[in-house]
Amino acid sequence: MRKIIVTGGAGFIGSNFIFYMLERHPEDRIICLDKLTYAGNLSTLAPVMDNPRFRFVRADICDRAAVNQLFQEEKPDIVVNFAAESHVDRSILNPDIFLQTNIIGTAVLMDACREYGAARFHQVSTDEVYGDLPLDRPDLLFTEETPIHTSSPYSSSKASADLLSLAYYRTYGLPVTISRCSNNYGPYQFPEKLIPLMIANALNDRPLPVYGEGLNVRDWLYVEDHCLAIDRILEKGRIGEVYNIGGHNEMKNIDIVRLICRELGKPESLISYVADRRGHDLRYAIDPEKIHRELGWLPETKFAEGIRKTICWYLDNRTWWEEIVSGEYQEYYKKMYGKTDEEMQ
């Protein structure tokens, strides 16, 4: 039995990874460590809370005493670090918490790995550390050799954590791997991100706020494909290596919004163009050739299939996201787009 600590496991990708690992690896024990910030939702983990191979621990990865106590109790074989402040807009409003969680928290986890002998530390990162690509050069893709060139406090904090992880590998011999993924979508994504925000607003006939002209391009990856890629890296990935995980699904933001309108039978007149984000990256596009060549991974979910599955999930789980889109989130929404949902109607 492998003991695997999954940090940030009450969030979007972390929770999907926990579900995936419990199903695919019945011999593993999964320990979820999560602070339960605004983006962490304990109800997400309800399906596995009674699983004897699962344990939930509420703690901050920056809390060295709490982290060390958990590592002492569990003696994990593997740590997969999803825990991060991850929304670019929030990093522009308040960079401090991103630096604390994403950099210091990663260091605390790696120190615990060194102290208690974890066999692997996997850092989950983002393609945003590479900056952006021009819209008129579709031939250009991010590879693992692309220089880091960050645009926001968020991406800078993630790049810092990546570099720190590689430094721990070189200096201390800590068995580290890093993955950098493109934009994820799927079940349980917090509705501040593009796809769930547009689904939730469209279902309620509310305005669909689109930055600028919506021409920014993203490479979309279905979350379960991401989980499979990390599983492959844990099993076969080379220590000290970075692996890019891309979806081969480049789309303009405005095209995503229009597609959601069509799927839900909503008019495009709901689209509301708002002032562009500061430092807004133009295009992300990952070349996953390395992980395909070395580990045999390629995305399995076509975007047309994945977006329909995602929309159906939000239709079938309205209670989950309706409880989120209220209160504190409305105040944040107002900061981002100038008005609350209600005021934009």
Side-chain angles (χ1 to χ4, degrees):
M1 176 185 288
R2 298 183 302 180
K3 290 186 179 181
I4 303 174
I5 289 181
V6 178
T7 69
F12 166 42
I13 308 176
S15 62
N16 277 278
F17 183 73
I18 287 172
F19 300 148
Y20 171 94
M21 293 297 286
L22 287 172
E23 179 182 351
R24 299 290 184 95
H25 296 279
E27 74 283 1
D28 289 344
R29 170 175 162 80
I30 306 294
I31 304 98
C32 173
L33 173 62
D34 199 295
K35 185 181 178 181
L36 294 181
T37 62
Y38 75 95
N41 192 334
L42 197 56
S43 66
T44 299
L45 296 172
V48 298
M49 289 299 283
D50 294 330
N51 189 317
R53 295 187 294 112
F54 176 75
R55 177 189 178 189
F56 176 79
V57 176
R58 183 174 185 176
D60 186 346
I61 62 170
C62 296
D63 185 341
R64 192 174 294 273
V67 168
N68 285 346
Q69 179 179 339
L70 177 61
F71 274 65
Q72 189 173 34
E73 292 170 359
E74 294 290 351
K75 302 293 193 300
D77 301 293
I78 298 170
V79 177
V80 183
N81 183 29
F82 290 97
E85 297 288 339
S86 66
H87 197 245
V88 173
D89 293 335
R90 288 180 182 265
S91 80
I92 293 171
L93 291 174
N94 182 16
D96 289 357
I97 191 172
F98 285 75
L99 307 182
Q100 184 70 23
T101 299
N102 298 356
I103 304 174
I104 301 302
T106 301
V108 169
L109 291 171
M110 291 193 294
D111 286 339
C113 286
R114 293 175 56 220
E115 178 72 20
Y116 297 98
R120 176 71 70 84
F121 177 81
H122 182 73
Q123 172 69 5
V124 180
S125 189
T126 171
D127 60 357
E128 295 186 49
V129 302
Y130 298 124
D132 61 356
L133 297 166
L135 295 176
D136 60 353
R137 288 292 306 277
D139 57 307
L140 295 180
L141 302 171
F142 294 139
T143 73
E144 290 80 1
E145 305 304 317
T146 300
I148 287 176
H149 186 68
T150 60
S151 304
S152 69
Y154 162 60
S155 58
S156 297
S157 67
K158 292 297 289 185
S160 299
D162 289 3
L163 294 174
L164 190 63
S165 299
L166 293 174
Y168 268 60
Y169 164 65
R170 179 168 181 175
T171 302
Y172 303 113
L174 185 68
V176 165
T177 47
I178 298 172
S179 57
R180 293 172 179 158
C181 68
S182 56
N183 283 43
N184 280 221
Y185 69 103
Y188 297 108
Q189 188 170 25
F190 190 80
E192 67 184 355
K193 300 299 177 79
L194 178 68
I195 288 177
L197 174 62
M198 297 304 149
I199 294 172
N201 278 18
L203 286 173
N204 289 310
D205 296 310
R206 292 173 173 168
L208 309 179
V210 174
Y211 282 129
E213 298 179 18
L215 301 180
N216 304 73
V217 172
R218 299 294 181 260
D219 176 17
W220 293 94
L221 174 68
Y222 192 62
V223 65
E224 189 170 323
D225 287 339
H226 186 188
C227 296
L228 173 59
I230 293 175
D231 189 16
R232 291 279 178 86
I233 294 170
L234 294 178
E235 290 187 348
K236 301 178 181 178
R238 290 186 289 132
I239 301 301
E241 291 292 316
V242 176
Y243 292 93
N244 283 351
I245 307 172
H248 277 315
N249 280 306
E250 287 186 58
M251 294 189 69
K252 296 176 185 176
N253 288 348
I254 188 60
D255 291 337
I256 295 278
V257 178
R258 288 169 176 158
L259 185 154
I260 290 171
C261 287
R262 290 196 300 274
E263 290 289 332
L264 293 175
K266 299 295 183 178
E268 291 187 11
S269 58
L270 288 174
I271 296 173
S272 173
Y273 296 96
V274 299
D276 205 356
R277 168 193 288 166
R278 285 175 286 181
H280 201 174
D281 287 336
L282 294 175
R283 172 176 168 256
Y284 303 147
I286 273 186
D287 180 359
E289 192 273 336
K290 177 179 176 179
I291 192 172
H292 174 56
R293 181 183 71 251
E294 293 191 8
L295 309 182
W297 178 90
L298 278 177
E300 298 177 356
T301 308
K302 301 297 184 184
F303 188 78
E305 173 194 356
I307 194 65
R308 289 192 181 97
K309 288 167 65 174
T310 300
I311 290 172
C312 286
W313 188 89
Y314 280 89
L315 285 169
D316 294 339
N317 294 272
R318 290 188 70 129
T319 300
W320 182 87
W321 56 266
E322 283 178 344
E323 290 178 353
I324 294 172
V325 186
S326 61
E328 178 187 348
Y329 178 66
Q330 285 295 335
E331 290 304 311
Y332 164 75
Y333 193 102
K334 187 172 183 177
K335 287 182 181 178
M336 286 298 94
Y337 304 115
K339 300 178 181 178
T340 64
D341 280 351
E342 289 79 6
E343 290 169 336
M344 288 183 73
Q345 294 184 72

